Structure formats: C-alpha cells, structure tokens
Amino acid sequence: MVKRGLISILLVLLCVVCVVPAMAGEKGKGRAGGDRPRVRTEWGVGVGGSYTFFKPNSELVTVTPRFGIGAKLHMGVLFNDYFALEAEIHYEGGSLMAAMPLNKEQVSRKIKTSTIDIPLMLSLRLFERVVQFDAGLLFTVMSRSEYTFNNEVMYFGSVYPTFNFTCGVGFRVGRYFLIEAHYVQPLGKTTNQFLPKLDDGSNVFKSQAQR
C-alpha cells in the first residue's frame, strides 16, 4: 500500500513538472525575434543495461553479479541552455545467481528480477549541451524477484530499496542521441529470504545492491 501511494504521488509530481513548464514555454514563444522559449521541455525513449553488485550480510550466501537490460521514458524541463530537471520511468529485467550451503553442499538459485525506477535528477549541460552531469534521487517503486523451489515460485524479496541516490555523466552524439552512464547507491537495505533454510538455521537476511 505504501508503494502504491508513492507511485500515485510521483506520477502527479511528474505531470506538474512537465505540464506547467510546457505552458510557460508556450507563453514565451511570442517574444520578438522568434527566439525559443526560456523554459521548455524535452522527451525521449532509451534502452540500456545495468550491472548489479549484490551484498548480503550473511556470510553463508554468495550472489554473483549479473547484467540486466531495460527501457525508459525520459522527460526533462530545460530552464536554459545549462540547467534542467529530469524525470524518467525506467523498467528493467534481469537475474541474479545466488549460492548457499545446504547439508554441507552448495545449492544455487537463479533469481529472476524486474524493477521499475523513477529517478528525479538535476542536470548540468556544458559545451553546447554536448556533455551533461546528472544527480538526484531514484525511487524504486517496484522491485520483484523470484526463484523456483520444489517446482513452486518463491518470493525472494526486493532487490533494491525504495530510496536511492544516483549520479551520472552523458555525451550527446548528434542531435537526437545521448550515451550516458549512471551509478546508483542505495540509501537502505532490503530483507531477503531463501527456502530451504540455510545451514545456520535461518532463511532471512539483509542485503544491499549497488548498480
């Protein structure tokens, strides 16, 4: 219920952020000389990949980093040629390979993950917008991860916490393409679980995932 409420609040904020500056941009188009409005919006779509470092606090569990792929919808409000406020809706799917001791043997589990992130970032554009630096908060509104045990789908728990910090750099290629890389630092830990129980008798542990 908390995450559903967070999704609703963020979607309303996104609508306000995108609609209000667009209206301001329309009002600015009537200036003498036909200059483009001081405040304007930008839109785009993109695809990309991620590499996740998963750190459980249990010494009995080891998780191999894996690649994920995703797609995003980008929205930006440009205040001038240098500063912008950016928001994205990003879906990503992937997997992790986890190993744990069971009866003195290592048992592996392939954990399938799916995530929806909404980053809100401030952006600095330099060198005629060829280079840009971004930083802000990333809200993970959905983090679903599952594995199979005894032919049943089991819930592993969220891979990423709700609140994260993100920063990155991008390079514009031509007029319509942007190549960028971001780092995501979680601002909390998640609770994950395995079945059957580990050799120490537990099946719940805390984790932290960096991207």
Side-chain angles (χ1 to χ4, degrees):
M1 294 297 293
V2 174
K3 288 194 174 182
R4 289 184 180 178
L6 181 60
I7 294 175
S8 301
I9 293 172
L10 289 176
L11 289 179
V12 171
L13 289 176
L14 289 178
C15 291
V16 172
V17 166
C18 295
V19 172
V20 172
M23 295 174 60
E26 290 294 330
K27 292 181 179 179
K29 288 183 179 180
R31 294 184 299 169
D35 294 337
R36 58 185 179 181
R38 183 176 297 275
V39 178
R40 57 195 187 278
T41 59
E42 65 180 9
W43 298 81
V45 294
V47 295
S50 67
Y51 193 67
T52 300
F53 296 90
F54 193 82
K55 299 179 180 180
N57 68 348
S58 173
E59 297 181 354
L60 299 178
V61 180
T62 57
V63 180
T64 303
R66 297 292 292 268
F67 284 99
I69 57 174
K72 66 179 181 180
L73 171 65
H74 170 87
M75 298 156 281
V77 179
L78 287 72
F79 301 104
N80 50 44
D81 290 335
Y82 300 100
F83 295 100
L85 177 64
E86 297 180 343
E88 296 175 353
I89 300 176
H90 185 196
Y91 173 81
E92 179 183 300
S95 64
L96 298 168
M97 186 62 70
M100 57 184 178
L102 179 62
N103 298 326
K104 298 182 179 181
E105 296 183 359
Q106 287 291 106
V107 177
S108 297
R109 296 275 189 264
K110 183 177 181 181
I111 303 168
K112 297 181 179 180
T113 64
S114 57
T115 306
I116 296 179
D117 296 319
I118 300 181
L120 296 175
M121 302 174 291
L122 291 176
S123 176
L124 173 64
R125 317 295 179 80
L126 300 175
F127 306 110
E128 297 183 352
R129 300 178 62 199
V130 174
V131 180
Q132 71 178 55
F133 299 93
D134 306 320
L137 291 177
L138 182 143
F139 302 92
T140 298
V141 296
M142 187 196 79
S143 179
R144 185 178 181 86
S145 51
E146 301 172 334
Y147 63 94
T148 302
F149 174 66
N150 288 342
N151 296 322
E152 293 187 14
V153 177
M154 310 298 294
Y155 183 61
F156 178 72
S158 299
V159 176
Y160 309 111
T162 301
F163 300 101
N164 308 266
F165 171 78
T166 182
C167 60
V169 60
F171 300 92
R172 191 169 299 276
V173 180
R175 185 176 179 181
Y176 299 106
F177 295 96
L178 178 70
I179 301 175
E180 58 182 345
H182 282 87
Y183 169 77
V184 179
Q185 172 65 40
L187 299 181
K189 294 183 178 181
T190 58
T191 300
N192 304 103
Q193 58 185 356
F194 263 131
L195 284 178
K197 293 184 178 181
L198 306 177
D199 281 352
D200 65 354
S202 66
N203 67 328
V204 178
F205 54 93
K206 296 286 187 179
S207 306
Q208 195 170 45
Q210 298 171 317
R211 292 178 270 177

